[in-house]
């Protein structure tokens, strides 16, 4: 019997707490998401913290729409999703946050690399950065706990300054990712 | 186009209904106009600074309006959407019912077709009932308007009563009467100033 575990051993155990602090520093108080096992501690963290208004959605497109509305109305917002969710977003990213210049911040847990067990996930992962690049979304991949705060803070700051959507891609090197265990 | 599910009464015109709805707004309510003819007709009613015109992301008028409503809970937010768009993002009805924003008032224009792409019949033209689907999603306050007067009564009650509302408008097949300017940064900038977010 194979068991699927949410977190591996090469991880920064406090990555989600750091991201919550960074969100607060950037005034991001609305968080929308489509569930993901790797992001579970971050999702649990924002649900447990009264600073955040948290909206689970049925699709990532919907989550980007809610975040865009919130930002235009003066409240910064983040969208949490997994790699396969990002792959559903090409049209929405190009036609809403990019062209309307709405700095939606996305946090994407990276799947499909470093020990992936599902070929579909491995393939969809290859679409992620080309989608972000061609849709005009800035992105960075965060691999190390000691670089997390600086990279997340500065990437979000740049998104807000330049009115450009941005994605923080969280590598399995940071979160442990999702592995299959015998 | 024949309306088989929404009402036995006559069909309403999107521009005329939009004009009536906008005319009832007295408190700088935000209005989000969905893709295509929906925001074209909103544009044609005069460019209120509190209007947002969504040009490309089909299906996201209600989610965008939900985001505005959550960020500014003291302001009523009106969302205008078409039946094809709502079918595309119909899960948002369940999200809205779950979040239950007190200040979100939604209108769906149902002409039973994808008008802007050549009038292909939509599932709503074959019997899909968006108001029944909304009720199934958990939205308690949703109903078809029978005619323009009924629509005004229902919309007035929605504006005055806390909670999310959805009003279905059986809509005729007439085209939009104008076209929105294609300048997204200016549209966003104007909207943000209009609702005091900039």
């Amino acid at each position: 019997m194979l068991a699927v575990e949410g977190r591996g051993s090469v991880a920064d155990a406090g990555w989600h707490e750091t991201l919550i602090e960074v969100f607060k520093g950037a005034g991001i108080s609305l968080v929308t998401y489509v569930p993901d096992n790797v992001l579970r501690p971050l999702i649990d963290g924002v649900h447990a913290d009264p600073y955040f208004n948290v909206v689970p959605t049925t699709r990532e497109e919907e989550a980007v729409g809610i975040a865009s509305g919130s930002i235009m109305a003066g409240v910064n917002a983040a969208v949490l999703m997994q790699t396969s969710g990002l792959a559903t977003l090409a049209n929405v990213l190009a036609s809403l946050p990019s062209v309307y210049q709405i700095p939606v911040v996305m946090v994407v847990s990276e799947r499909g690399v470093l020990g992936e067990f599902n070929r579909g996930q491995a393939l969809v992962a290859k679409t992620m950065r080309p989608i972000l690049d061609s849709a005009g979304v800035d992105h960075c991949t965060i691999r190390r706990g000691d670089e997390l705060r600086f990279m997340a803070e500065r990437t979000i700051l740049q998104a807000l300054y330049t009115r450009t959507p941005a994605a923080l891609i969280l590598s399995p090197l940071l979160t442990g990712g999702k592995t299959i265990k015998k | 186009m024949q309306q088989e599910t929404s009402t036995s009464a006559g069909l309403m015109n999107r521009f005329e209904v939009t004009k009536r709805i906008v005319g009832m707004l007295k408190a700088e309510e935000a209005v989000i106009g969905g893709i295509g003819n929906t925001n074209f007709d909103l544009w044609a009613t005069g460019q209120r600074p509190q209007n947002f015109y969504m040009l490309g992301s089909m299906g996201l008028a209600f989610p965008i309006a939900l985001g505005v409503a959550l960020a500014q809970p003291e302001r009523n937010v009106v969302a205008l959407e078409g039946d094809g768009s709502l079918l595309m993002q119909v899960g948002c009805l369940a999200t809205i019912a779950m979040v239950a924003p007190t200040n979100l008032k939604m209108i769906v224009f149902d002409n039973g077709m994808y008008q802007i792409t050549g009038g292909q019949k939509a599932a709503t033209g074959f019997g899909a009932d968006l108001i029944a689907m909304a009720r199934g999603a958990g939205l308690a306050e949703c109903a078809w308007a029978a005619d323009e007067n009924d629509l005004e009564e229902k919309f007035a009650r929605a504006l005055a009563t806390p909670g999310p509302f959805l009003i279905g408008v059986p809509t005729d097949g007439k085209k939009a009467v104008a076209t929105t300017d294609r300048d997204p940064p200016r549209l966003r900038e104007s909207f943000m100033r209009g609702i005091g977010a900039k």
Side-chain angles (χ1 to χ4, degrees):
Chain A
M1 180 92 186
L2 299 169
V4 176
E5 293 218 326
R7 303 175 68 186
S9 54
V10 187
D12 171 12
W15 64 267
H16 47 95
E17 289 157 3
T18 303
L19 274 182
I20 284 175
E21 288 170 18
V22 171
F23 284 175
K24 289 181 176 176
I28 291 174
S29 62
L30 180 87
V31 177
T32 65
Y33 71 90
V34 176
D36 172 52
N37 197 37
V38 174
L39 293 177
R40 198 168 64 186
L42 178 58
I43 291 167
D44 290 347
V46 292
H47 269 295
D49 189 330
Y51 176 83
F52 295 102
N53 199 351
V54 185
V55 182
T57 62
T58 63
R59 289 181 62 79
E60 291 79 5
E61 293 181 322
E62 190 194 345
V64 170
I66 295 168
S68 297
S70 177
I71 294 165
M72 287 194 289
V75 175
N76 289 339
V79 182
L80 319 181
M81 71 191 84
Q82 58 179 283
T83 302
S84 53
L86 190 283
T88 70
L89 284 176
N91 175 60
V92 161
L93 291 176
S95 60
L96 185 62
S98 282
V99 296
Y100 282 91
Q101 302 173 349
I102 305 168
V104 172
V105 172
M106 292 176 285
V107 176
V108 188
S109 68
E110 187 176 26
R111 267 199 70 178
V113 294
L114 300 174
E116 179 57 60
F117 51 88
N118 180 334
R119 177 63 177 151
Q121 290 282 349
L123 288 172
V124 84
K126 298 179 196 300
T127 71
M128 176 162 60
R129 290 174 183 83
I131 287 172
L132 292 168
D133 286 333
S134 49
V137 180
D138 290 343
H139 60 90
C140 64
T141 302
I142 306 176
R143 299 181 177 85
R144 296 169 53 101
D146 60 352
E147 294 177 353
L148 168 63
R149 183 182 299 274
F150 191 90
M151 288 181 78
E153 274 179 358
R154 293 295 179 95
T155 302
I156 292 172
L157 202 60
Q158 182 169 328
L160 297 175
Y161 281 152
T162 61
R163 301 210 63 88
T164 304
L168 310 176
I169 300 168
L170 306 185
S171 164
L173 289 165
L174 180 77
T175 62
K178 187 169 178 175
T179 57
I180 196 160
K181 244 188 174 178
K182 290 182 182 173
Chain B
M1 174 153 288
Q2 182 67 35
Q3 283 289 326
E4 290 153 357
T5 59
S6 46
T7 180
S8 56
L11 302 179
M12 289 171 258
N13 177 262
R14 185 180 45 241
F15 173 66
E16 295 299 330
V17 165
T18 305
K19 210 162 51 175
R20 283 186 184 230
I21 287 168
V22 170
M24 292 171 69
L25 303 178
K26 307 293 181 205
E28 300 196 348
E29 295 86 346
V31 181
I32 312 299
I35 196 169
N37 289 323
T38 307
N39 82 69
F40 293 175
D41 272 338
L42 175 64
W43 179 267
T45 64
Q47 291 94 60
R48 290 170 74 248
Q50 296 82 25
N51 292 356
F52 180 71
Y53 309 90
M54 198 205 73
L55 294 175
S57 47
M58 183 167 171
L60 290 190
F62 287 1
I64 292 169
L66 173 59
V68 175
L70 290 171
Q72 296 199 4
E74 304 303 318
R75 183 190 304 272
N76 270 337
V77 180
V78 179
L80 310 176
E81 188 58 292
D83 53 334
S85 291
L86 187 52
L87 284 171
M88 181 176 276
Q89 204 64 243
V90 76
C92 77
L93 293 173
T95 304
I96 289 163
M98 175 182 66
V99 174
T102 58
N103 55 334
L104 179 56
K105 318 298 171 183
M106 298 167 283
I107 307 275
V108 59
F109 294 105
D110 183 357
N111 58 12
M113 63 172 142
Y114 298 97
Q115 185 178 34
I116 208 161
T117 53
Q120 301 87 350
K121 210 167 172 182
T124 41
F126 289 96
D129 183 334
L130 287 166
I131 294 297
M133 290 165 77
R135 198 170 291 118
L139 273 174
E141 294 282 5
C142 49
W144 290 106
D147 54 34
E148 284 83 354
N149 290 337
D150 183 44
L151 173 96
E152 285 198 352
E153 275 175 35
K154 284 183 162 61
F155 187 61
R157 193 170 81 80
L159 285 178
T161 311
F165 281 69
L166 174 64
I167 303 170
V169 180
T171 303
D172 66 26
K174 288 194 183 134
K175 291 185 174 161
V177 304
T179 305
T180 305
D181 279 359
R182 263 50 167 226
D183 189 346
R186 194 174 71 77
L187 297 175
R188 190 259 310 150
E189 185 85 10
S190 164
F191 176 63
M192 288 182 72
R193 291 187 193 283
I195 60 170
K198 196 156 189 182

